[in-house]
Amino acid sequence: MSCRLRYNPPMKKNRSPSKPNRKSPSKNSRNRRSPWFWKIFIRVSAIGLVLLAGWMVYLDAVVTDRFEGRRFEVPSRVYARPLELYDGAGVSSGALERELTLSGYRKGDGVKPGSYRRNGGHFIISTRGFRFPDGDEPRRKLSLNIYGDRIQDFSVSAGGSAAIVRLEPARIGGIYPAHKEDRILVRLDEVPALLPTALMAVEDRRFYDHFGIAPASIGRAMLANISAGQIVQGGSTLTQQLVKNFFLTRDQTLLRKGNEALMSILLELHYEKDDILETYLNEVYLGQAGTRSINGFGLASQFYFGESLKDLDVHQIALLVGMVKGPSYYNPRRHPDRATQRRNLVISEMEDAGLIEPSKAARARGLALGVSAKPSYSENRYPAYIDLVRRHLARDYKEEDLRSEGLRIFTTLNPAIQYAAEYAVTDTLPRLASGDMAKALEATLVVTAKDTGEVLALVGGKDPQYAGFNRALDANRPIGSLIKPFTYLTALEQPERYTLMTPVLDKSFTLEFDDGRRWEPKNYDGKERGEVPLHRALSHSYNLPAVRVGLDVGIPAVRKTLRAFGVITPISEYPSMLLGSIAMSPVTVAQMYQGLATSGFNTPLRTIREVTDAGGQALSRYRLEVDQVADPAAVHLLQYAMQETMHEGTGRWAYNTVPKELSLAGKTGTTDDGRDSWFAGFSGDLLAVAWVGRDDNGPTALTGATGALPVWSRFMAQVPQHGFSPVVPDGVNYHWVNSEKQALTDEYCDNARLLPFISGSEPTQKVSCSGTFERKIRGWFEGLFQ
């Protein structure tokens, strides 16, 4: 039986005969495309990695440059002079309390450092201590009484005995970086241990475990924010917050967020956690003071509590930590209820983290915020004075160093005297005129220590807080009769020709110049008195005798005298210079009169005692410098005439305000139409120069006696001081004389006056008078009852 094998071909799928046959890509075809795709992918990835690596290198350079260089631009801090407390020190109760307040002391029990208690004139003060250029002043507890503007019963009850205790000097301002950031740098080992732990408990519990970013925290924050429909939680670590504040803008963009994460990782790779934490404590933004930002916990402690960071209690630390979330929103001065809620939440977080005991937490939540009523200091308390300090510093320091090196500048400003100077200007000026004239009037006052030339106070205008045009430094105005003492001093240095008794002619005359111009000086009152003794011509400020004497000794000689006393402004060669056509600033006038107050020793004005670096190392000391530029004997004669000005002449109205027993010396100055009213004078302790006028140089109808003198007198009446009692130099003798007869006379004769003379210049002729014995008896009886 035979079989036939049959081949059955496989069944074919139905397909349309009208369509081409499309086959699925085979494995070989996919392999043929793979090299092209992966090649592009690898190239793009490589380029991306290169760009990322380059960007990382750039970010790494930014991070390391800032951290390994100077991390912070720290402003220079400007301090007033320290107040020295001791038995017999001159200070009023009000002045002491104002200075304590200025230094950030709080009224309380007087037990905690930085507090005081007052009961009338009795004070209990607990000082904070301070690092002065010459050493540390420890904390002490003081007790003292003030009677008659003098300290009595001074004692130290804690902190080590001392006869003299210096209070911490008040910070009066600073020289700030261009970005206006302010901070007090602190080290991590200096801050209370509770501060960084509380900060981490609230802001970043895993700070010491993460590598700069915390993905889990970011995820939780995203979910919370999505659920709430708004931003209610942040996932940033402390490192990220530092990077954002330190390197980046506050823009909420993906690019900035990416940079923030990368830089945080780089920061953690390079630096220790403690280093990052310390930088954060000094960088974090915690408020605003005018144009100044308050950065770091060190400054925030001073700004809000007036205390050092190391002295803060639990509730104060909690408030500062709470403010990190929103310094403006939780500002304790503007929003105390909001700030209290936030503080209490932080205290609870600290309790939950085991940082404080429940009982301590409960007590802290029950306390008031404890914030001082006002910031412990403002941007610049005394802008006109700080302006002068900056100009003096410019001689030795670059502006960039002053703005960024954290220098400590110890000045000569006396807050009590500054207060009195400001009050004298603001209280007196409105009394001098009314209406539009009162609005137009301006005034300045410069006060120095008579013997040292230290500038104790400076008012630049009727608004002492105004930081604009500083009239004390930049208002160059004709000085009028303030020049006369220097004309007469030039003459008195020639004793063979001039004495205080020398008759000078008070009579008009005319000068004709080569170009045909004529000059005819006049007295202010238009009167002429014939011959008058030189001392009276000066004390009554007669113009005609002053011009005659100046022309006699020579304008070049008067110019030489002015230069010797420190005048560097241009000095005219015209005779009108002898009536004060020279323009000077009030500070220049103070410099000039300083030499008269110090018996002919030119003493450059000083605003700075010492400059140290941020650590207290001395950089510059500005010591007293004196240069004898005039004969002390001749200056003594001039001082006599200036004292006569106050008792008999144009300055006598001062004693309507100043105690009559306070001996003073001074000189008025007036320019045409009262455009400038001046007064310069001194006591045994202080020299002050006052100017009153208008910025537009308009007339005021004020004289030196009716404008500047009331401002000057109001100031001098407020400040405890000693009268001017000059030491009689060698070569000067006092004699009783009759000025009208140009002769020696007896003490009780009519017209007798006791005048000083340089030896050999006194008159040789003597006149007596009848009734000498009776006059002596009468004088003796009068003396018994005076």
Side-chain angles (χ1 to χ4, degrees):
M1 184 173 176
S2 62
C3 295
R4 184 178 291 178
L5 298 177
R6 299 179 68 180
Y7 172 70
N8 295 318
M11 296 294 292
K12 296 181 180 178
K13 295 181 179 179
N14 293 331
R15 60 185 181 185
S16 173
S18 63
K19 291 182 180 180
N21 184 20
R22 292 183 180 177
K23 298 182 178 180
S24 297
S26 66
K27 184 177 181 180
N28 289 337
S29 65
R30 286 197 301 269
N31 289 339
R32 284 195 298 269
R33 290 182 61 184
S34 293
W36 176 83
F37 174 79
W38 288 109
K39 190 180 294 184
I40 296 297
F41 177 77
I42 291 171
R43 287 180 178 178
V44 171
S45 299
I47 292 172
L49 288 172
V50 170
L51 292 175
L52 180 61
W55 187 243
M56 290 285 284
V57 170
Y58 167 74
L59 292 179
D60 187 71
V62 171
V63 168
T64 54
D65 178 68
R66 183 77 181 268
F67 256 69
E68 293 176 8
R70 185 174 63 198
R71 296 185 191 178
F72 301 105
E73 288 186 330
V74 182
S76 295
R77 309 192 184 284
V78 184
Y79 296 92
R81 65 92 187 92
L83 178 61
E84 295 184 340
L85 303 178
Y86 55 90
D87 267 324
V91 62
S92 67
S93 297
L96 176 56
E97 187 163 28
R98 280 193 299 272
E99 189 141 354
L100 289 169
T101 303
L102 188 66
S103 297
Y105 281 70
R106 290 187 296 172
K107 198 168 186 177
D109 56 9
V111 174
K112 188 175 182 179
S115 69
Y116 72 96
R117 185 174 77 234
R118 177 185 177 184
N119 183 12
H122 179 64
F123 286 81
I124 299 292
I125 305 170
S126 287
T127 69
R128 297 193 192 97
F130 189 77
R131 176 175 293 179
F132 286 97
D134 59 354
D136 291 344
E137 184 82 18
R139 294 180 179 179
R140 289 189 172 94
K141 186 176 180 181
L142 314 176
S143 174
L144 58 91
N145 292 302
I146 296 180
Y147 300 106
D149 294 339
R150 295 283 170 184
I151 292 178
Q152 298 180 20
D153 308 320
F154 176 81
S155 64
V156 179
S157 57
S161 62
I164 300 176
V165 173
R166 291 178 293 182
L167 287 182
E168 172 188 1
R171 182 180 165 187
I172 59 173
I175 301 173
Y176 301 98
H179 49 66
K180 295 291 185 180
E181 288 184 4
D182 196 4
R183 55 175 52 81
I184 295 175
L185 294 182
V186 295
R187 294 199 304 268
L188 189 59
D189 59 3
E190 294 176 336
V191 304
L194 186 60
L195 173 60
T197 54
L199 182 65
M200 288 184 284
V202 175
E203 296 289 331
D204 188 358
R205 293 200 174 197
R206 297 184 59 82
F207 173 73
Y208 279 98
D209 299 324
H210 61 63
F211 53 91
I213 59 175
S217 297
I218 295 173
R220 285 194 302 270
M222 288 180 63
L223 291 174
N225 294 337
I226 291 172
S227 300
Q230 59 181 334
I231 297 177
V232 296
Q233 185 175 331
S236 296
T237 65
L238 288 180
T239 309
Q240 287 177 276
Q241 293 180 37
L242 175 61
V243 166
K244 179 177 64 177
N245 292 335
F246 217 49
F247 301 104
L248 303 174
T249 67
R250 297 185 178 272
D251 298 335
Q252 296 293 331
T253 63
L254 288 176
L255 178 60
R256 191 198 65 75
K257 279 290 186 182
N259 285 336
E260 179 185 299
L262 292 174
M263 295 175 82
S264 297
I265 295 171
L266 289 170
L267 198 61
E268 296 268 359
L269 287 174
H270 282 295
Y271 303 102
E272 298 291 335
K273 288 283 188 178
D274 284 354
D275 200 20
I276 295 171
L277 182 57
E278 180 177 281
T279 305
Y280 181 94
L281 294 176
N282 287 298
E283 172 62 20
V284 62
Y285 172 72
L286 287 169
Q288 196 75 21
T291 60
R292 236 174 4 115
S293 65
I294 305 301
N295 291 77
F297 286 93
L299 181 60
S301 176
Q302 289 284 349
F303 184 73
Y304 291 109
F305 304 112
E307 296 186 21
S308 174
L309 185 59
K310 65 179 182 294
D311 296 325
L312 296 189
D313 290 331
V314 171
H315 67 292
Q316 296 169 316
I317 291 174
L319 176 61
L320 295 184
V321 170
M323 290 178 65
V324 170
K325 186 177 180 180
S328 298
Y329 188 78
Y330 296 111
N331 186 318
R333 292 194 177 97
R334 295 183 179 178
H335 312 293
D337 293 338
R338 199 182 289 169
T340 301
Q341 292 177 6
R342 176 64 180 166
R343 181 205 65 177
N344 290 346
L345 177 62
V346 171
I347 292 173
S348 296
E349 293 281 346
M350 294 162 66
E351 180 185 358
D352 293 343
L355 301 179
I356 54 176
E357 298 174 355
S359 60
K360 196 170 186 179
R363 178 181 175 276
R365 281 191 290 264
L367 293 174
L369 289 174
V371 175
S372 57
K374 294 182 179 180
S376 58
Y377 51 83
S378 59
E379 184 167 356
N380 275 325
R381 294 180 184 275
Y382 311 114
Y385 188 90
I386 296 295
D387 188 11
L388 181 57
V389 169
R390 293 183 71 149
R391 298 190 196 194
H392 286 178
L393 285 169
R395 304 166 184 168
D396 302 308
Y397 294 92
K398 297 179 180 177
E399 181 71 13
E400 61 189 74
D401 292 334
L402 295 173
R403 290 178 177 270
S404 62
E405 292 290 349
L407 305 182
R408 299 197 309 161
I409 301 159
F410 295 90
T411 73
T412 61
L413 181 129
N414 184 313
I417 291 178
Q418 177 71 28
Y419 174 85
E422 291 181 0
Y423 179 81
V425 169
T426 58
D427 182 68
T428 308
L429 205 58
R431 304 169 187 267
L432 301 180
S434 59
D436 292 338
M437 179 62 72
K439 295 178 182 179
L441 281 183
E442 278 289 352
T444 66
L445 191 61
V446 182
V447 184
T448 69
K450 181 183 76 69
D451 294 326
T452 64
E454 291 186 337
V455 181
L456 306 179
L458 187 125
V459 181
K462 64 182 176 184
D463 180 3
Q465 301 303 312
Y466 179 62
F469 182 54
N470 189 347
R471 295 166 188 81
L473 298 180
D474 298 321
N476 290 296
R477 306 294 289 260
I479 64 172
S481 295
L482 291 188
I483 198 173
K484 291 175 182 175
F486 299 90
T487 299
Y488 286 118
L489 176 61
T490 306
L492 291 171
E493 287 192 302
Q494 305 175 37
E496 69 282 1
R497 300 182 60 205
Y498 285 97
T499 70
L500 289 177
M501 196 175 66
T502 299
V504 290
L505 190 58
D506 181 20
K507 186 175 181 180
S508 61
F509 62 96
T510 301
L511 287 179
E512 294 188 8
F513 299 96
D514 293 340
D515 59 4
R517 289 181 298 126
R518 296 163 58 88
W519 184 56
E520 188 174 357
K522 299 288 184 181
N523 285 327
Y524 181 81
D525 60 6
K527 298 179 181 179
E528 300 177 15
R529 297 162 185 83
E531 282 192 349
V532 294
L534 186 149
H535 65 86
R536 187 183 304 161
L538 175 56
S539 64
H540 288 74
S541 199
Y542 300 148
N543 288 341
L544 295 172
V547 175
R548 288 180 179 274
V549 171
L551 292 175
D552 183 49
V553 298
I555 292 176
V558 178
R559 290 180 62 194
K560 183 179 179 181
T561 299
L562 292 171
R563 293 286 186 225
F565 278 79
V567 177
I568 59 174
T569 54
I571 300 175
S572 168
E573 296 182 359
Y574 290 101
S576 59
M577 177 269 284
L578 299 171
L579 292 182
S581 62
I582 309 169
M584 296 184 192
S585 71
V587 165
T588 301
V589 172
Q591 172 66 76
M592 183 170 65
Y593 268 74
Q594 196 73 38
L596 297 183
T598 54
S599 300
F601 289 88
N602 183 18
T603 308
L605 299 187
R606 297 188 299 152
T607 56
I608 307 164
R609 290 182 175 178
E610 195 153 19
V611 177
T612 74
D613 63 17
Q617 187 69 32
L619 298 177
S620 304
R621 289 185 173 89
Y622 295 80
R623 302 190 183 281
L624 176 64
E625 297 179 5
V626 296
D627 180 26
Q628 185 172 344
V629 296
D631 180 7
V635 176
H636 183 79
L637 270 57
L638 186 71
Q639 290 171 341
Y640 173 94
M642 293 176 69
Q643 286 180 290
E644 181 183 322
T645 298
M646 303 305 297
H647 290 285
E648 304 173 27
T650 55
R652 64 187 181 277
W653 305 113
Y655 286 105
N656 290 339
T657 307
V658 179
K660 290 181 171 53
E661 60 271 14
L662 185 66
S663 178
L664 301 167
K667 183 70 189 75
T668 54
T670 311
T671 61
D672 291 344
D673 298 322
R675 297 176 191 275
D676 301 282
S677 170
W678 291 91
F679 193 86
F682 44 90
S683 67
D685 300 317
L686 304 174
L687 178 146
V689 174
W691 170 86
V692 173
R694 293 170 51 169
D695 287 340
D696 62 3
N697 198 33
T700 68
L702 296 172
T703 66
T706 61
L709 180 60
V711 174
W712 186 91
S713 303
R714 179 62 60 90
F715 163 74
M716 297 296 273
Q718 295 179 77
V719 182
Q721 56 190 305
H722 299 91
F724 179 60
S725 180
V727 176
V728 181
D730 292 339
V732 172
N733 297 300
Y734 276 75
H735 299 277
W736 288 97
V737 297
N738 184 319
S739 297
E740 294 181 358
K741 298 183 178 180
Q742 299 293 299
L744 299 172
T745 190
D746 295 319
E747 178 179 357
Y748 298 104
C749 291
D750 291 333
N751 299 320
R753 176 183 286 272
L754 189 64
L755 285 181
F757 291 85
I758 296 176
S759 297
S761 67
E762 65 273 7
T764 55
Q765 184 181 2
K766 183 173 183 179
V767 295
S768 187
C769 57
S770 60
T772 300
F773 179 75
E774 290 81 358
R775 291 177 185 274
K776 287 184 178 180
I777 294 296
R778 185 178 66 185
W780 181 77
F781 272 105
E782 289 175 351
L784 286 178
F785 298 101
Q786 287 180 350

